[in-house]
Amino acid sequence: GKPWDAVYNLGIPDGYSLEEIARCVASVTSRTCQLKIKTKNNSKNHINSMIDCRKFYKDFLWQPKVSLELSVKKILKYEVRK
């Protein structure tokens, strides 16, 4: 088989904002809430929050299949069982 490269990034092709994640958690838990998200107004933070996973996808013919909503549900289910 093909040897591994030294470094691969693994993640999702699209990023989510803090607001999108918070709204998803609220939706999954059927809670209503007022969102107050405070971040530094620095566009570099947003740019650097994304990783390029294309090399891993290409080398291993893999794509993520779990949505943000399903991920949140699985995390909450795991945390409740602890």
Side-chain angles (χ1 to χ4, degrees):
K2 183 181 178 198
W4 285 67
D5 280 342
V7 175
Y8 285 100
N9 292 320
L10 185 59
I12 57 173
D14 302 314
Y16 295 101
S17 69
L18 291 174
E19 182 178 354
E20 288 171 310
I21 295 168
R23 289 191 187 286
C24 182
V25 170
S27 172
V28 166
T29 60
S30 300
R31 305 259 171 110
T32 56
C33 59
Q34 275 191 309
L35 296 178
K36 292 183 181 182
I37 299 171
K38 295 181 181 182
T39 60
K40 291 182 179 180
N41 190 10
N42 183 346
S43 61
K44 289 181 185 178
N45 289 338
H46 177 70
I47 292 168
N48 291 331
S49 69
M50 300 290 295
I51 59 174
D52 185 354
C53 304
R54 291 177 293 186
K55 183 163 182 49
F56 186 86
Y57 299 162
K58 180 178 173 248
D59 287 358
F60 295 95
L61 304 174
W62 180 87
Q63 291 285 321
K65 295 179 183 174
V66 179
S67 67
L68 175 62
E69 182 177 348
L70 184 55
S71 296
V72 168
K73 286 178 181 178
K74 287 182 172 194
I75 291 167
L76 292 174
K77 184 177 179 180
Y78 173 80
E79 288 299 323
V80 168
R81 284 191 279 166
K82 280 173 118 180

Coordinates of all heavy atoms in Angstrom, one line a residue:
G1 N 0.8 -1.2 0.0 CA 0.0 0.0 0.0 C 0.9 1.3 0.0 O 2.1 1.2 0.2
K2 N 0.2 2.3 -0.2 CA 0.9 3.6 -0.2 C 1.3 4.0 1.2 O 0.6 3.9 2.2 CB -0.1 4.7 -0.7 CG 0.5 6.0 -0.8 CD -0.5 7.1 -1.3 CE 0.3 8.4 -1.3 NZ -0.4 9.5 -1.4
P3 N 2.6 4.5 1.4 CA 3.1 4.9 2.7 C 2.4 6.2 3.1 O 2.0 7.0 2.3 CB 4.5 5.1 2.5 CG 4.7 5.4 1.0 CD 3.6 4.6 0.3
W4 N 2.2 6.3 4.4 CA 1.6 7.5 5.0 C 2.6 8.7 4.8 O 3.8 8.5 5.0 CB 1.4 7.3 6.5 CG 0.2 6.4 6.8 CD1 0.1 5.1 6.5 CD2 -1.0 6.8 7.4 NE1 -1.1 4.7 7.0 CE2 -1.8 5.7 7.5 CE3 -1.5 8.0 7.9 CZ2 -3.1 5.7 8.1 CZ3 -2.7 8.1 8.5 CH2 -3.5 6.9 8.6
D5 N 2.0 9.9 4.6 CA 2.8 11.1 4.7 C 3.0 11.4 6.1 O 2.3 10.9 7.0 CB 2.1 12.2 3.9 CG 2.3 12.2 2.4 OD1 3.2 11.5 2.0 OD2 1.5 12.8 1.7
A6 N 3.9 12.3 6.4 CA 4.2 12.7 7.8 C 3.0 13.3 8.5 O 2.7 13.0 9.7 CB 5.3 13.7 7.8
V7 N 2.2 14.1 7.8 CA 1.1 14.8 8.5 C -0.2 14.8 7.6 O -0.1 15.1 6.4 CB 1.5 16.3 8.8 CG1 0.3 17.0 9.4 CG2 2.7 16.3 9.7
Y8 N -1.3 14.5 8.2 CA -2.6 14.7 7.6 C -3.5 15.5 8.5 O -3.5 15.3 9.7 CB -3.3 13.3 7.3 CG -2.7 12.5 6.2 CD1 -1.8 11.4 6.5 CD2 -3.0 12.7 4.9 CE1 -1.3 10.7 5.5 CE2 -2.5 12.0 3.9 CZ -1.7 10.9 4.2 OH -1.1 10.2 3.2
N9 N -4.3 16.3 7.9 CA -5.4 17.0 8.6 C -6.6 16.2 8.4 O -6.9 15.7 7.4 CB -5.6 18.4 8.1 CG -4.4 19.3 8.4 OD1 -3.9 19.3 9.4 ND2 -4.1 20.1 7.4
L10 N -7.4 16.0 9.5 CA -8.6 15.3 9.4 C -9.7 16.1 10.0 O -9.6 16.6 11.1 CB -8.5 14.0 10.2 CG -9.6 13.0 10.1 CD1 -9.9 12.6 8.7 CD2 -9.3 11.7 10.9
G11 N -10.8 16.3 9.3 CA -11.9 17.1 9.8 C -13.0 17.1 8.7 O -13.1 16.3 7.9
I12 N -13.8 18.2 8.8 CA -14.9 18.4 7.9 C -14.5 19.4 6.8 O -13.7 20.3 7.1 CB -16.1 18.8 8.6 CG1 -15.9 20.1 9.4 CG2 -16.6 17.7 9.5 CD1 -17.1 20.7 10.0
P13 N -15.1 19.3 5.6 CA -14.8 20.3 4.6 C -15.3 21.7 4.9 O -14.7 22.7 4.4 CB -15.4 19.7 3.3 CG -16.4 18.7 3.8 CD -16.0 18.3 5.2
D14 N -16.4 21.8 5.6 CA -16.9 23.1 5.9 C -16.8 23.4 7.4 O -17.0 22.5 8.2 CB -18.4 23.2 5.5 CG -18.6 22.9 4.1 OD1 -17.9 23.4 3.3 OD2 -19.5 22.1 3.7
G15 N -16.5 24.6 7.8 CA -16.5 24.9 9.2 C -17.8 25.5 9.7 O -18.7 25.7 8.9
Y16 N -17.9 25.5 11.0 CA -19.2 26.1 11.6 C -18.8 27.2 12.5 O -17.8 27.2 13.2 CB -19.9 25.0 12.4 CG -20.4 23.8 11.6 CD1 -19.7 22.6 11.5 CD2 -21.6 24.0 10.9 CE1 -20.2 21.6 10.8 CE2 -22.0 22.9 10.1 CZ -21.3 21.7 10.0 OH -21.8 20.7 9.3
S17 N -19.6 28.2 12.5 CA -19.4 29.3 13.5 C -19.9 28.9 14.9 O -20.6 27.9 15.0 CB -20.2 30.6 13.0 OG -21.6 30.3 13.2
L18 N -19.4 29.6 15.9 CA -19.9 29.4 17.2 C -21.4 29.5 17.3 O -22.1 28.7 18.0 CB -19.2 30.3 18.2 CG -17.7 30.1 18.4 CD1 -17.2 31.3 19.3 CD2 -17.5 28.8 19.1
E19 N -22.0 30.4 16.6 CA -23.4 30.6 16.6 C -24.1 29.4 16.0 O -25.1 28.9 16.6 CB -23.8 31.9 15.9 CG -25.3 32.1 15.9 CD -25.7 33.4 15.2 OE1 -24.8 34.2 14.7 OE2 -26.9 33.6 15.1
E20 N -23.6 28.9 14.9 CA -24.2 27.7 14.3 C -24.2 26.5 15.2 O -25.2 25.8 15.3 CB -23.5 27.4 13.0 CG -23.8 28.3 11.8 CD -22.9 28.1 10.6 OE1 -21.7 27.9 10.8 OE2 -23.4 28.0 9.5
I21 N -23.1 26.3 15.9 CA -22.9 25.2 16.8 C -23.9 25.4 18.0 O -24.6 24.5 18.4 CB -21.5 25.0 17.3 CG1 -20.6 24.6 16.1 CG2 -21.4 24.0 18.5 CD1 -19.1 24.7 16.4
A22 N -24.0 26.6 18.6 CA -24.8 26.9 19.7 C -26.3 26.7 19.3 O -27.1 26.1 20.1 CB -24.6 28.3 20.2
R23 N -26.7 27.1 18.1 CA -28.1 27.0 17.7 C -28.4 25.5 17.5 O -29.5 25.0 17.8 CB -28.3 27.7 16.4 CG -28.4 29.2 16.6 CD -28.9 30.0 15.4 NE -28.8 31.4 15.6 CZ -29.5 32.2 16.4 NH1 -30.5 31.6 17.1 NH2 -29.4 33.5 16.5
C24 N -27.4 24.7 17.0 CA -27.6 23.3 16.8 C -27.8 22.6 18.1 O -28.7 21.8 18.3 CB -26.4 22.7 16.1 SG -26.6 20.9 15.7
V25 N -27.0 22.9 19.1 CA -27.2 22.3 20.5 C -28.5 22.7 21.0 O -29.2 21.8 21.6 CB -26.0 22.8 21.4 CG1 -26.3 22.4 22.9 CG2 -24.7 22.3 20.9
A26 N -28.9 23.9 20.9 CA -30.3 24.4 21.4 C -31.4 23.6 20.7 O -32.3 23.1 21.3 CB -30.4 25.9 21.2
S27 N -31.2 23.4 19.4 CA -32.2 22.7 18.6 C -32.3 21.2 19.1 O -33.4 20.6 19.3 CB -31.9 22.8 17.1 OG -32.8 21.9 16.4
V28 N -31.2 20.6 19.2 CA -31.1 19.1 19.6 C -31.7 18.9 21.0 O -32.3 17.9 21.2 CB -29.7 18.6 19.4 CG1 -29.5 17.3 20.1 CG2 -29.2 18.5 18.0
T29 N -31.4 19.8 21.9 CA -31.9 19.7 23.2 C -33.3 20.3 23.4 O -33.8 20.3 24.6 CB -30.9 20.4 24.2 OG1 -30.8 21.8 23.9 CG2 -29.6 19.7 24.2
S30 N -33.9 20.8 22.4 CA -35.2 21.4 22.4 C -35.3 22.5 23.5 O -36.2 22.7 24.2 CB -36.3 20.4 22.8 OG -36.3 19.4 21.8
R31 N -34.2 23.3 23.6 CA -34.1 24.4 24.5 C -34.1 25.7 23.7 O -33.6 25.8 22.6 CB -32.8 24.4 25.3 CG -32.6 23.1 26.1 CD -33.0 23.2 27.5 NE -33.1 21.9 28.2 CZ -32.2 21.6 29.1 NH1 -31.2 22.4 29.4 NH2 -32.3 20.4 29.7
T32 N -34.7 26.7 24.3 CA -34.6 28.1 23.7 C -33.6 28.8 24.6 O -33.5 28.7 25.8 CB -35.9 28.8 23.7 OG1 -36.4 28.8 25.0 CG2 -36.9 28.1 22.8
C33 N -32.8 29.6 23.9 CA -31.8 30.4 24.7 C -31.5 31.7 23.9 O -31.7 31.8 22.7 CB -30.5 29.6 24.9 SG -29.8 29.0 23.4
Q34 N -31.0 32.6 24.6 CA -30.4 33.8 24.0 C -29.0 33.6 23.9 O -28.3 33.3 24.8 CB -30.7 35.1 24.9 CG -32.0 35.7 24.7 CD -32.1 37.0 25.4 OE1 -31.7 37.1 26.6 NE2 -32.5 38.0 24.7
L35 N -28.5 33.8 22.6 CA -27.1 33.6 22.4 C -26.3 34.9 22.6 O -26.7 36.0 22.1 CB -26.8 33.1 21.0 CG -27.4 31.8 20.6 CD1 -27.1 31.5 19.1 CD2 -26.8 30.7 21.5
K36 N -25.3 34.8 23.4 CA -24.4 36.0 23.6 C -23.0 35.4 23.4 O -22.4 34.9 24.3 CB -24.5 36.6 24.9 CG -25.8 37.3 25.1 CD -25.9 37.9 26.5 CE -27.3 38.6 26.7 NZ -27.4 39.3 28.0
I37 N -22.5 35.5 22.2 CA -21.1 35.0 21.8 C -20.2 36.2 21.7 O -20.4 37.1 20.8 CB -21.2 34.2 20.5 CG1 -22.1 33.0 20.7 CG2 -19.8 33.7 20.1 CD1 -22.4 32.2 19.5
K38 N -19.2 36.2 22.5 CA -18.2 37.3 22.4 C -16.9 36.7 21.9 O -16.4 35.8 22.5 CB -18.0 37.9 23.8 CG -19.2 38.6 24.3 CD -18.9 39.3 25.6 CE -20.2 40.0 26.2 NZ -19.9 40.6 27.4
T39 N -16.4 37.3 20.8 CA -15.1 36.9 20.3 C -14.3 38.1 19.9 O -14.9 39.2 19.8 CB -15.3 36.0 19.0 OG1 -15.9 36.8 18.0 CG2 -16.0 34.7 19.2
K40 N -13.0 37.9 19.8 CA -12.2 39.0 19.4 C -12.5 39.3 17.9 O -12.7 38.4 17.1 CB -10.7 38.7 19.6 CG -10.3 38.6 21.0 CD -8.8 38.4 21.1 CE -8.4 38.3 22.5 NZ -6.9 38.0 22.6
N41 N -12.7 40.5 17.6 CA -13.0 40.9 16.2 C -11.7 40.8 15.4 O -11.1 41.9 15.1 CB -13.6 42.2 16.1 CG -14.2 42.5 14.7 OD1 -14.2 41.6 13.9 ND2 -14.6 43.7 14.5
N42 N -11.2 39.6 15.0 CA -10.0 39.5 14.3 C -10.2 38.4 13.2 O -10.4 37.3 13.5 CB -8.9 39.0 15.3 CG -7.6 38.8 14.6 OD1 -7.5 38.8 13.4 ND2 -6.5 38.7 15.4
S43 N -10.2 38.9 12.0 CA -10.5 38.0 10.9 C -9.5 36.9 10.7 O -9.8 35.8 10.2 CB -10.6 38.8 9.6 OG -9.4 39.4 9.3
K44 N -8.3 37.0 11.3 CA -7.3 36.0 11.2 C -7.7 34.7 12.0 O -7.4 33.6 11.6 CB -6.0 36.5 11.7 CG -5.3 37.5 10.8 CD -3.9 37.9 11.4 CE -3.3 39.0 10.6 NZ -2.1 39.4 11.1
N45 N -8.5 34.9 13.1 CA -8.9 33.8 13.9 C -9.9 32.9 13.1 O -9.8 31.7 13.1 CB -9.7 34.3 15.1 CG -8.8 34.9 16.2 OD1 -7.6 34.6 16.1 ND2 -9.3 35.7 17.0
H46 N -10.7 33.5 12.3 CA -11.7 32.7 11.5 C -10.9 32.0 10.4 O -11.1 30.8 10.1 CB -12.8 33.6 10.9 CG -13.7 32.9 10.0 ND1 -14.6 32.0 10.5 CD2 -13.8 32.8 8.6 CE1 -15.3 31.4 9.5 NE2 -14.8 31.9 8.4
I47 N -10.0 32.7 9.7 CA -9.2 32.0 8.6 C -8.5 30.8 9.2 O -8.4 29.8 8.6 CB -8.3 33.1 8.0 CG1 -9.1 34.1 7.2 CG2 -7.3 32.4 7.0 CD1 -8.3 35.3 6.8
N48 N -7.8 31.0 10.3 CA -7.0 29.9 10.9 C -7.8 28.8 11.5 O -7.2 27.8 11.9 CB -6.0 30.5 11.9 CG -5.0 31.3 11.2 OD1 -4.6 31.1 10.0 ND2 -4.5 32.3 11.8
S49 N -9.1 29.0 11.7 CA -9.9 27.9 12.3 C -10.3 26.8 11.3 O -10.8 25.8 11.7 CB -11.2 28.5 12.9 OG -12.1 28.9 11.9
M50 N -10.0 27.0 10.1 CA -10.3 26.0 9.1 C -9.0 25.2 8.7 O -7.9 25.8 8.6 CB -10.8 26.6 7.8 CG -12.1 27.4 8.0 SD -13.5 26.4 8.3 CE -13.6 25.5 6.8
I51 N -9.1 23.9 8.6 CA -8.0 23.1 8.2 C -8.3 22.4 6.8 O -9.4 22.2 6.5 CB -7.7 22.0 9.2 CG1 -8.8 21.0 9.4 CG2 -7.2 22.5 10.5 CD1 -8.5 19.8 10.3
D52 N -7.3 22.2 6.1 CA -7.4 21.7 4.7 C -7.3 20.1 4.8 O -6.2 19.6 5.1 CB -6.4 22.3 3.8 CG -6.6 21.8 2.4 OD1 -7.4 20.9 2.1 OD2 -5.8 22.4 1.5
C53 N -8.3 19.4 4.6 CA -8.3 18.0 4.7 C -8.3 17.3 3.4 O -8.4 16.0 3.3 CB -9.6 17.5 5.5 SG -9.8 18.3 7.1
R54 N -8.2 18.0 2.3 CA -8.3 17.4 1.0 C -7.2 16.3 0.8 O -7.5 15.3 0.1 CB -8.1 18.5 -0.1 CG -9.3 19.4 -0.1 CD -9.1 20.5 -1.2 NE -8.0 21.4 -0.7 CZ -7.7 22.5 -1.3 NH1 -8.2 22.9 -2.4 NH2 -6.7 23.2 -0.8
K55 N -6.0 16.4 1.3 CA -5.0 15.4 1.1 C -5.4 14.1 1.7 O -5.3 13.0 1.0 CB -3.7 15.9 1.7 CG -2.6 14.9 1.4 CD -1.2 15.5 1.6 CE -0.1 14.6 1.3 NZ -0.1 13.8 0.1
F56 N -6.0 14.1 2.9 CA -6.4 12.8 3.5 C -7.6 12.2 2.7 O -7.6 11.0 2.4 CB -6.9 13.1 4.9 CG -7.2 11.8 5.7 CD1 -6.3 11.1 6.3 CD2 -8.5 11.4 5.7 CE1 -6.6 9.9 7.0 CE2 -8.9 10.2 6.3 CZ -7.9 9.5 7.0
Y57 N -8.5 13.1 2.3 CA -9.7 12.6 1.5 C -9.2 11.9 0.2 O -9.7 10.9 -0.2 CB -10.6 13.7 1.1 CG -11.2 14.5 2.3 CD1 -11.8 15.7 2.0 CD2 -11.3 13.9 3.5 CE1 -12.4 16.4 3.1 CE2 -11.9 14.6 4.6 CZ -12.5 15.9 4.3 OH -13.1 16.6 5.3
K58 N -8.2 12.6 -0.5 CA -7.7 12.1 -1.7 C -6.9 10.8 -1.5 O -7.1 9.8 -2.2 CB -6.8 13.1 -2.4 CG -6.2 12.7 -3.7 CD -5.4 13.8 -4.3 CE -4.7 13.3 -5.5 NZ -3.2 13.3 -5.4
D59 N -6.0 10.8 -0.6 CA -5.1 9.6 -0.4 C -5.9 8.4 0.1 O -5.5 7.2 -0.2 CB -4.0 9.9 0.6 CG -2.9 10.8 0.0 OD1 -3.0 11.2 -1.2 OD2 -2.0 11.2 0.7
F60 N -7.0 8.6 0.9 CA -7.7 7.5 1.5 C -9.1 7.3 1.0 O -9.9 6.5 1.5 CB -7.7 7.6 3.0 CG -6.3 7.5 3.6 CD1 -5.5 8.6 3.8 CD2 -5.7 6.2 3.8 CE1 -4.2 8.5 4.3 CE2 -4.4 6.1 4.3 CZ -3.7 7.3 4.5
L61 N -9.5 8.1 0.0 CA -10.8 8.1 -0.6 C -11.9 8.0 0.5 O -12.8 7.2 0.5 CB -10.9 6.8 -1.5 CG -9.9 6.7 -2.6 CD1 -10.0 5.4 -3.3 CD2 -10.0 7.9 -3.6
W62 N -11.8 9.0 1.4 CA -12.7 9.0 2.6 C -13.3 10.4 2.6 O -12.7 11.4 2.3 CB -11.9 8.8 3.8 CG -12.7 8.9 5.1 CD1 -13.4 7.8 5.7 CD2 -12.9 10.0 5.9 NE1 -14.0 8.2 6.8 CE2 -13.7 9.6 7.0 CE3 -12.5 11.3 5.9 CZ2 -14.1 10.4 8.0 CZ3 -12.9 12.2 6.9 CH2 -13.7 11.7 7.9
Q63 N -14.6 10.5 3.0 CA -15.3 11.7 3.3 C -16.1 11.5 4.6 O -16.6 10.5 4.9 CB -16.3 12.0 2.2 CG -15.7 12.3 0.8 CD -15.1 13.7 0.8 OE1 -15.7 14.7 1.4 NE2 -14.0 13.9 0.2
P64 N -16.2 12.6 5.4 CA -17.0 12.5 6.6 C -18.4 12.3 6.3 O -18.9 12.9 5.3 CB -16.7 13.9 7.3 CG -16.2 14.8 6.3 CD -15.6 13.9 5.2
K65 N -19.2 11.6 7.1 CA -20.6 11.3 6.8 C -21.5 11.7 7.9 O -22.7 11.6 7.8 CB -20.8 9.8 6.5 CG -20.0 9.4 5.3 CD -20.2 7.9 5.0 CE -19.4 7.5 3.8 NZ -19.5 6.0 3.6
V66 N -21.0 12.2 9.0 CA -21.8 12.5 10.2 C -22.0 14.1 10.2 O -21.1 14.8 10.2 CB -21.1 12.1 11.5 CG1 -22.0 12.4 12.7 CG2 -20.9 10.6 11.4
S67 N -23.3 14.4 10.2 CA -23.7 15.9 10.2 C -23.4 16.5 11.6 O -23.2 15.8 12.6 CB -25.2 16.0 9.9 OG -25.9 15.5 11.0
L68 N -23.4 17.8 11.6 CA -23.2 18.5 12.9 C -24.3 18.1 13.9 O -24.0 17.8 15.0 CB -23.2 20.0 12.7 CG -23.2 20.9 13.9 CD1 -21.9 20.7 14.7 CD2 -23.4 22.4 13.6
E69 N -25.5 18.0 13.4 CA -26.6 17.7 14.3 C -26.4 16.3 14.9 O -26.6 16.1 16.1 CB -28.0 17.7 13.6 CG -29.2 17.4 14.4 CD -30.5 17.5 13.7 OE1 -30.5 18.1 12.6 OE2 -31.5 17.1 14.3
L70 N -26.1 15.3 14.1 CA -25.9 14.0 14.6 C -24.7 13.9 15.5 O -24.7 13.2 16.5 CB -25.7 13.0 13.4 CG -25.5 11.5 13.8 CD1 -26.7 11.0 14.7 CD2 -25.4 10.6 12.6
S71 N -23.6 14.7 15.2 CA -22.5 14.7 16.1 C -22.9 15.3 17.5 O -22.5 14.7 18.5 CB -21.4 15.6 15.5 OG -20.9 15.1 14.3
V72 N -23.6 16.3 17.5 CA -24.1 16.9 18.8 C -24.9 15.9 19.6 O -24.8 15.7 20.8 CB -24.9 18.2 18.6 CG1 -25.6 18.7 19.8 CG2 -23.9 19.3 18.0
K73 N -25.8 15.2 18.9 CA -26.7 14.2 19.5 C -25.8 13.1 20.1 O -26.1 12.7 21.3 CB -27.7 13.6 18.5 CG -28.8 14.5 18.2 CD -29.7 13.8 17.1 CE -30.8 14.7 16.7 NZ -31.7 14.1 15.7
K74 N -24.8 12.6 19.4 CA -24.0 11.5 19.9 C -23.1 12.0 21.1 O -23.0 11.3 22.1 CB -23.0 11.0 18.8 CG -23.7 10.2 17.8 CD -22.7 9.7 16.7 CE -23.4 8.7 15.8 NZ -22.4 8.0 15.0
I75 N -22.6 13.2 21.1 CA -21.8 13.8 22.2 C -22.7 13.9 23.4 O -22.3 13.5 24.5 CB -21.2 15.2 21.8 CG1 -20.1 14.9 20.8 CG2 -20.7 15.9 23.0 CD1 -19.7 16.2 20.1
L76 N -23.9 14.5 23.3 CA -24.8 14.6 24.4 C -25.2 13.2 25.0 O -25.3 13.1 26.2 CB -26.1 15.4 24.0 CG -25.8 16.9 23.7 CD1 -27.1 17.5 23.1 CD2 -25.3 17.6 24.9
K77 N -25.5 12.3 24.1 CA -25.8 10.9 24.6 C -24.7 10.3 25.4 O -24.9 9.8 26.5 CB -26.2 10.0 23.4 CG -26.7 8.7 23.8 CD -27.1 7.9 22.6 CE -27.5 6.5 22.9 NZ -27.9 5.7 21.7
Y78 N -23.5 10.5 24.9 CA -22.3 10.0 25.6 C -22.1 10.7 27.0 O -21.9 10.0 28.0 CB -21.1 10.2 24.8 CG -19.8 9.9 25.5 CD1 -19.4 8.5 25.6 CD2 -19.0 10.9 26.0 CE1 -18.2 8.2 26.3 CE2 -17.8 10.5 26.7 CZ -17.4 9.2 26.8 OH -16.3 8.9 27.5
E79 N -22.3 12.0 27.0 CA -22.1 12.8 28.2 C -23.1 12.4 29.3 O -22.8 12.4 30.4 CB -22.1 14.3 27.9 CG -20.9 14.8 27.2 CD -19.6 14.6 28.0 OE1 -19.6 14.7 29.2 OE2 -18.5 14.2 27.4
V80 N -24.3 12.1 28.8 CA -25.4 11.8 29.8 C -25.1 10.4 30.4 O -25.4 10.2 31.6 CB -26.8 11.8 29.1 CG1 -27.8 11.1 29.9 CG2 -27.2 13.2 28.7
R81 N -24.5 9.5 29.7 CA -24.2 8.2 30.2 C -23.0 8.2 31.2 O -22.9 7.2 31.9 CB -23.9 7.2 29.1 CG -25.2 6.8 28.3 CD -24.9 5.6 27.4 NE -24.3 6.2 26.2 CZ -23.7 5.5 25.3 NH1 -23.5 4.2 25.4 NH2 -23.2 6.1 24.2
K82 N -22.2 9.2 31.2 CA -21.0 9.2 32.1 C -21.4 9.2 33.6 O -22.4 9.7 34.0 CB -20.2 10.5 31.8 CG -19.3 10.4 30.6 CD -18.7 11.7 30.4 CE -17.2 11.7 30.4 NZ -16.6 13.0 30.2

